[in-house]
Amino acid sequence: MIPSDQHLQIGSLLFPGLDQIDLTGPLEVLSVIPNSTYQVIAATKAPIKDLHGLSMNADKTFDEVGQLDVLHVPGGPGQQALMEDETFLSFIRNQAEGAQFVFSVCTGALLCGAAGLLKGRKATTHWSAFHLLPYFGATPVNERVVIDGNWVFAAGVTSGIDGALQLAAMLRGQRVAEQIQLYMQYHPEPPFDSGTPERAPVEVLEAARNAAGELTARRLETAKAISAKLGIDPAGEGV
Amino acid sequence: MIPSDQHLQIGSLLFPGLDQIDLTGPLEVLSVIPNSTYQVIAATKAPIKDLHGLSMNADKTFDEVGQLDVLHVPGGPGQQALMEDETFLSFIRNQAEGAQFVFSVCTGALLCGAAGLLKGRKATTHWSAFHLLPYFGATPVNERVVIDGNWVFAAGVTSGIDGALQLAAMLRGQRVAEQIQLYMQYHPEPPFDSGTPERAPVEVLEAARNAAGELTARRLETAKAISAKLGIDPAGEGV
């Protein structure tokens, strides 16, 4: 826990083609952390659309933000266009260096990896990109939330809610996290048992893999290129 | 299920001070329903901030939207300012009349109630507003998702995700809902057991009730006034 009288600067990244719930799930938690300032941060203040078309506006641009205490990096297919965007990656790299916590959700982990921040870390990401983590020097751990030092990794999409509640407890204690959870009425009852590749019906998994196939192939090519650039041997990193 | 070749018009309402995840949780599901058009609808296209400060932009204004097949009504504290807003309530009333499904999330149920649409229905809403449902002529059912005919009610905030997956199955079948669930990696693992008033630690519930106290009192006053206007006897409606 961080002393309750220490004001926290918390920021979430927003970029075109992100998966909005990678941002908005954790936002529901992070924006109500006691004694904190929460901001959505992007390269521009112009409207930015997520994968599904939701149009959102950032509170601050990169150069309007000071050092954050908590940096939240969401993912989604739009991550792919930023894997060599030095402005975006530098922002992550510089903020992560001074932050007390970094919180990666879904394929936000690939962005952190492209920034060179995953070397030697235990990490997780969306199931469709899980096999790519070693290319960034990370050891993949197949859990919904993976904590490695001051890094919190949530797996795919909705796992950001679980990760954010864990992070809330790390920041302000379990009672605070529990009160947020109660307000959110977060006592989930998924109507079907199809939330992971291990549990989904075979034909559902196959259809989902096919739908993600092209993007997954492009992500692999990018991961290989970045791996070479960072001088990482993916076979030597816990695969 | 609706015939798969029937194109669906799906719309979610956006208004100032809503709780963004009442909108964005279901959006993650509703925006990817096969053979559908999904739109966020508001009174204006100017940026609209949620309770937590997230700034969003509607795709369409009320008068730019034709008849929807699925109307999604989120909630949040901003609902209170709309309980006598005839433009807003008329939109809900007129759309609900022609829609194949109406999906109320959280205190979106109070808006539907103010529009006179809850008389004789089984319904649910956020736990802090549950006792207000009879003032709108509804019978409160303490379940996470309540289905009454072509109405789907989700309880508080995050329950909209569960409700949306049920609605997806009603629209396009279970396999479609399961594939969406897998993409979302929706296999929740809440780190604490504090998601309902029944399960939260006593002091957490008390703190949450205190935090909601003033708004709850205002909502009760409004509910009484609307009850009188609609000619409803709350004591006769299943309390």
Side-chain angles (χ1 to χ4, degrees):
Chain A
M1 271 175 66
I2 291 176
S4 61
D5 63 353
Q6 185 190 324
H7 190 80
L8 294 171
Q9 295 289 341
I10 305 176
S12 299
L13 292 178
L14 170 64
F15 54 85
L18 92 163
D19 190 321
Q20 58 86 20
I21 211 169
D22 291 13
L23 167 64
T24 58
L27 184 153
E28 191 73 12
V29 177
L30 299 178
S31 66
V32 295
I33 298 291
N35 195 16
S36 74
T37 301
Y38 175 84
Q39 291 174 323
V40 175
I41 304 159
T44 170
K45 282 185 183 162
I48 290 177
K49 282 201 175 184
D50 103 309
L51 156 69
H52 304 299
L54 178 65
S55 175
M56 292 168 280
N57 312 297
D59 300 310
K60 290 278 166 69
T61 59
F62 293 146
D63 49 13
E64 291 174 340
V65 176
Q67 176 63 54
L68 297 168
D69 299 299
V70 178
L71 171 66
H72 164 212
V73 184
Q79 139 280 334
Q80 181 62 12
L82 296 169
M83 294 292 276
E84 298 181 281
D85 182 321
E86 200 41 52
T87 305
F88 199 86
L89 299 180
S90 296
F91 182 81
I92 294 179
R93 199 181 294 120
N94 294 338
Q95 286 287 346
E97 195 175 347
Q100 302 196 52
F101 289 95
V102 183
F103 177 32
S104 161
V105 176
C106 197
T107 49
L110 306 185
L111 289 167
C112 296
L117 297 168
L118 294 195
K119 292 181 197 171
R121 286 193 202 285
K122 294 184 291 178
T124 194
T125 184
H126 191 267
W127 59 263
S128 67
F130 189 73
H131 61 294
L132 302 178
L133 289 173
Y135 290 96
F136 305 102
T139 302
V141 178
N142 190 13
E143 290 172 6
R144 190 158 175 87
V145 177
V146 174
I147 297 173
D148 184 345
N150 66 333
W151 281 68
V152 178
F153 294 89
V157 193
T158 55
S159 58
I161 300 172
D162 297 316
L165 286 169
Q166 290 209 33
L167 180 55
M170 293 163 80
L171 293 170
R172 294 300 191 209
Q174 182 171 333
R175 278 293 179 264
V176 165
E178 285 172 334
Q179 191 176 330
I180 295 171
Q181 183 184 1
L182 175 57
Y183 166 74
M184 290 167 66
Q185 206 158 342
Y186 186 52
H187 184 74
E189 294 177 13
F192 310 109
D193 187 12
S194 184
T196 67
E198 295 82 4
R199 303 197 69 88
V202 171
E203 68 268 36
V204 168
L205 177 57
E206 196 172 340
R209 280 216 172 106
N210 285 341
E214 194 203 349
L215 175 59
T216 303
R218 280 191 286 126
R219 281 175 168 160
L220 175 60
E221 285 313 303
T222 304
K224 283 180 178 170
I226 290 171
S227 198
K229 193 172 75 178
L230 296 178
I232 289 166
D233 172 15
E237 304 285 340
V239 187
Chain B
M1 271 176 64
I2 291 176
S4 60
D5 63 353
Q6 185 191 325
H7 190 81
L8 295 171
Q9 296 288 341
I10 306 175
S12 298
L13 292 179
L14 170 64
F15 54 85
L18 93 162
D19 191 322
Q20 59 86 20
I21 211 168
D22 290 13
L23 167 65
T24 60
L27 183 153
E28 191 73 13
V29 177
L30 299 178
S31 66
V32 295
I33 298 290
N35 195 15
S36 73
T37 300
Y38 175 82
Q39 292 175 321
V40 174
I41 304 158
T44 170
K45 282 186 182 162
I48 290 177
K49 284 199 174 186
D50 102 309
L51 157 69
H52 304 299
L54 178 65
S55 174
M56 292 168 281
N57 312 297
D59 300 311
K60 291 277 167 69
T61 58
F62 294 145
D63 49 14
E64 291 174 342
V65 176
Q67 177 62 54
L68 298 168
D69 300 299
V70 179
L71 171 66
H72 164 212
V73 184
Q79 138 280 336
Q80 181 62 12
L82 296 168
M83 294 291 277
E84 298 180 283
D85 182 320
E86 200 41 53
T87 305
F88 199 87
L89 299 180
S90 295
F91 183 81
I92 294 179
R93 199 180 294 118
N94 294 338
Q95 286 287 346
E97 194 174 348
Q100 302 195 52
F101 289 95
V102 183
F103 178 31
S104 161
V105 176
C106 196
T107 48
L110 305 185
L111 288 167
C112 296
L117 297 169
L118 295 196
K119 291 181 198 172
R121 285 195 204 285
K122 293 184 292 178
T124 194
T125 184
H126 191 268
W127 58 263
S128 67
F130 189 73
H131 61 294
L132 302 179
L133 289 172
Y135 290 95
F136 305 102
T139 302
V141 178
N142 190 13
E143 290 173 6
R144 191 159 175 86
V145 177
V146 173
I147 297 173
D148 184 345
N150 66 335
W151 281 68
V152 178
F153 294 89
V157 192
T158 55
S159 58
I161 299 172
D162 297 316
L165 286 168
Q166 289 209 33
L167 179 56
M170 292 163 80
L171 293 170
R172 294 300 190 207
Q174 182 170 334
R175 279 291 180 265
V176 165
E178 286 172 333
Q179 191 175 330
I180 295 170
Q181 182 183 1
L182 176 58
Y183 166 75
M184 291 167 68
Q185 208 159 338
Y186 187 52
H187 183 75
E189 295 177 12
F192 310 109
D193 187 12
S194 184
T196 67
E198 294 83 5
R199 303 197 69 88
V202 171
E203 69 267 37
V204 167
L205 177 57
E206 195 172 340
R209 280 215 171 108
N210 285 341
E214 195 204 349
L215 175 59
T216 303
R218 279 191 286 127
R219 281 174 167 159
L220 174 59
E221 285 312 303
T222 305
K224 283 179 178 170
I226 290 171
S227 198
K229 193 171 74 178
L230 296 177
I232 289 166
D233 171 14
E237 302 288 337
V239 187

